[in-house]
């Protein structure tokens, strides 16, 4: 029986979705689908001690025979896509071209989108504050999509028309860059020639992702929908305006890939055992970076952004925000990652309420904490099942489950590929 499972982050991204998806991709899974975001995502995988980061291509591609689908909700930079293909080839995955399928309707992310993103961040965007974006052009590309002036990848099929349309769009971008941001402009011919030079390898990858999903369903395939970023960065439901520019929620797994919403069978929410955030914006349970626990989380968790290398802000798990993320995504089960990072802390805090606010995650309220005992060094990595975890860790997990109302089904206990306890596999149908 076919099973379509959505996996998404429930915090501010970097929850360890890539590793988790890699782990649960087994013989039942025939395809992994990206449905939003762009190369602002950075899915880190550690395979045989080697660290690899994929930005656009779904992580499941590391499994032989598994197809990678990129739905029309994803903004695609051909350069970033080429870099992912190169990373994979370096790691011995050489048949990506046979397994990758990109919707021709994906908005084309241009170097001028990147230039606009960076110019705007430097200046503080049109009347707004700087967001601390990844600076990769994601926001400007989505803006052009909404304004109906973006070029779509499929338009590369007609080079003459492409040249004329790109020239108009880049005229506009250059006008903004020079007249509004006082930033350098880009050479239109150079960008056009560069885009057209990608046709040879890019065009054969384009096909109807929506139709591919219909066929996969008919074949009884297991399919994973891989979210990027996290619920608190959602354009509508996140900590606006400090959010990304796409809808990252489970609902968009359907529209961003071109699949009917009733075909999604389950939603797995990925959450770190604590919390991190890169970029600006409210973070109620944030710890001071050089406090003992702040340093512990940062160092043990190697908390650097996978895409930008920026230091991640670290803090305690915020159960109020997590419960809301569970609700807006109709999460069925949680995957808790990086539990081992909490090893050796004498006590732990869980954010369980906000002082003086009405559970508003968009403000930076004062959190109310509950204190829980910690556990000894090395205890988490040793466990072969959740039952073998130290008692204090089990209590911590139970409190999370009880507060947010969904079970923890997977627990990641270390960075290596196999270090994951599966209490219930997302493809189990019983
Ligand atoms: P943008 O997506 O580059 O526009 O950045 C908007 C906000 O989302 C910034 O705070 C970024 O740091 C954050 N962000 C975007 N992608 C990711 C991600 O994959 N992980 C974590 N944060 C992200």
């Amino acid at each position: 029986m076919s099973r379509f499972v959505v996996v998404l982050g429930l915090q501010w991204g970097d929850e360890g979705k890539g590793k988790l998806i890699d782990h649960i991709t087994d013989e039942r899974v025939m395809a992994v689908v990206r449905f939003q975001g762009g190369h602002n995502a950075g899915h880190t995988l550690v395979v045989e001690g080697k660290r690899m980061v994929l930005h656009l291509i779904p992580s499941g591609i590391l499994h032989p025979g598994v197809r990678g689908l990129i739905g029309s909700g994803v903004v695609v930079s051909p350069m970033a896509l080429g870099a992912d293909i190169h990373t994979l080839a370096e790691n011995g995955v050489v048949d990506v071209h046979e397994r990758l399928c990109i919707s021709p309707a994906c908005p084309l992310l241009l170097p001028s989108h990147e230039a606009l993103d960076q110019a705007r961040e430097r200046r503080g965007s049109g009347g707004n504050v700087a967001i601390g974006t990844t600076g990769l052009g994601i926001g400007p590309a989505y803006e052009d999509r909404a304004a109906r002036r973006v070029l779509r990848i499929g338009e590369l099929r007609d080079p003459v028309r492409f040249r004329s349309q790109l020239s108009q769009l880049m005229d506009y971008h250059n006008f903004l860059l020079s007249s509004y941001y006082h930033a350098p402009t880009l050479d239109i011919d150079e960008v056009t020639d560069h885009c057209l030079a990608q046709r040879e390898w890019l065009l054969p990858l384009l096909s109807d992702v929506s139709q591919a999903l219909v066929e996969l369903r008919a074949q009884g395939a297991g399919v994973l929908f891989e979210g990027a970023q996290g619920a608190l960065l959602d354009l509508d439901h996140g900590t606006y305006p400090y959010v990304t520019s796409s809808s990252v929620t489970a609902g968009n797994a359907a529209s961003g890939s071109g699949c009917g919403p009733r075909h999604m069978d389950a939603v797995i929410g990925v959450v770190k055992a604590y919390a991190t955030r890169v970029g600006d914006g409210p973070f109620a349970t944030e710890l001071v970076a050089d406090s003992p626990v702040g340093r512990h989380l940062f160092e043990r968790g190697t908390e650097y952004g996978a895409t930008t290398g920026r230091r991640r802000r670290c803090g305690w798990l915020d159960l109020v925000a997590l419960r809301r993320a569970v609700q807006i995504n109709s999460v069925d089960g949680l995957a808790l990652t990086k539990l081992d990072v909490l090893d050796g802390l004498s006590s732990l805090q869980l954010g369980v309420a906000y002082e003086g606010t009405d559970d508003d995650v968009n403000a930076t309220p004062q959190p109310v904490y509950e204190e829980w005992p910690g556990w000894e060094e090395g205890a988490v990595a040793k466990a072969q099942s959740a039952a073998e975890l130290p008692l204090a860790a089990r209590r911590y997990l139970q409190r999370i489950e009880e507060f947010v109302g969904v079970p923890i089904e997977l627990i990641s206990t270390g960075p290596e590929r196999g270090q994951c306890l599966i209490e219930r596999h997302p493809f189990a149908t019983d």
Side-chain angles (χ1 to χ4, degrees), residues 12-14 40-42 131-135 138 229 233 243-244 278-279 310:
W12 287 287
D14 309 316
N40 49 350
I131 302 296
T133 70
T134 57
I138 310 297
Q229 291 83 49
L233 286 172
V243 292
T244 192
V278 274
R310 287 180 292 178

Side-chain angles (χ1 to χ4, degrees), residues 123-163:
R123 185 182 148 146
S125 50
N128 289 336
V129 289
I131 302 296
T133 70
T134 57
L136 296 171
I138 310 297
Y142 276 116
E143 284 166 40
D144 278 353
R145 177 178 85 153
R148 291 156 292 179
R149 60 176 169 249
V150 87
L151 273 85
R152 311 214 283 183
I153 290 266
E155 289 176 85
L156 278 164
R157 286 172 176 148
D158 181 344
V160 176
R161 192 158 174 268
F162 182 86
R163 192 174 282 281

